[in-house]
Amino acid sequence: MSTKVNNPVARAPILQKGGAHVKSKSSQRTQVKNDLKRAVNEWKMDKNGI
């Protein structure tokens, strides 16, 4: 009896790290900073009546 040989490429550990596409932590921090700057500028514009 011979056993079927599994495809070693399909079982490679590097291929098991897939998953949902998520933004990186640095990208999330940059987005938060930009949102804060935008909110501050809007607040300043409203406060000055411009």
Side-chain angles (χ1 to χ4, degrees):
M1 290 177 100
S2 65
T3 59
K4 185 175 180 181
V5 177
N6 290 332
N7 183 351
V9 175
R11 299 293 302 155
I14 191 76
L15 297 176
Q16 294 176 0
K17 69 175 194 171
H21 294 268
V22 182
K23 291 192 180 243
S24 64
K25 297 285 184 185
S26 61
S27 173
Q28 291 174 355
R29 285 193 303 269
T30 303
Q31 184 65 44
V32 169
K33 288 179 185 180
N34 289 338
D35 291 344
L36 180 60
K37 285 181 184 180
R38 189 174 299 114
V40 169
N41 285 337
E42 288 177 6
W43 177 78
K44 284 182 180 180
M45 291 293 192
D46 289 344
K47 186 177 177 186
N48 292 334
I50 297 176

